[in-house]
Amino acid sequence: MENLNLYQGIHLIKKTSKSLPKKSGIYKMISSKNQVLYIGKAKDISKRVHSYSNPMKLNYRLQKMVSLIKNIEYIITKDEAHALLLEANLIKEVKPKFNI
């Protein structure tokens, strides 16, 4: 069952990453219960999110996270520095399960 969910998550990432902007910002991995699982920053949101689509390059923790993803949201920022600040603030506020 977990493998099926992992591949569904990977499919969602591959499909969604094609429509994500190639701009700097943050992305949020969201569960089916609408919980934020992970918040990350990126110079190129599309490219960074797509990097989660290769399970062989993901550790167990990230594979588990990908298996729980049902939606991906993003916020575009002016530049990488603003993305870093926004990411840090959102992580403090939301405390996502997969941000260590």
Side-chain angles (χ1 to χ4, degrees):
M1 182 68 172
E2 195 167 312
N3 273 350
L4 175 63
N5 290 337
L6 175 62
Y7 290 105
Q8 287 173 341
I10 288 169
H11 177 73
L12 175 77
I13 287 169
K14 285 181 178 179
K15 186 176 129 193
T16 305
S17 67
K18 291 175 185 173
S19 63
L20 293 174
K22 296 182 181 306
K23 296 183 177 186
S24 63
I26 63 104
Y27 56 92
K28 298 182 217 175
M29 305 294 197
I30 313 288
S31 75
S32 61
K33 295 176 184 171
N34 219 27
Q35 293 176 312
V36 178
L37 299 169
Y38 184 80
I39 298 171
K41 67 184 173 313
K43 182 177 182 177
D44 178 329
I45 297 170
S46 175
K47 193 174 184 180
R48 179 68 183 110
V49 169
H50 186 78
S51 72
Y52 291 96
S53 67
N54 184 346
M56 302 312 286
K57 291 186 177 180
L58 301 176
N59 62 31
Y60 177 76
R61 179 180 67 86
L62 291 177
Q63 286 182 15
K64 179 70 175 162
M65 179 190 76
V66 168
S67 74
L68 297 171
I69 295 170
K70 296 297 178 221
N71 191 20
I72 300 169
E73 297 175 357
Y74 66 91
I75 300 171
I76 296 172
T77 59
K78 182 178 165 185
D79 53 35
E80 277 185 276
H82 285 87
L84 179 65
L85 289 171
L86 180 57
E87 177 199 36
N89 288 330
L90 286 173
I91 288 170
K92 284 179 195 168
E93 182 184 321
V94 178
K95 296 178 177 59
K97 181 179 179 176
F98 288 91
N99 284 92
I100 298 174

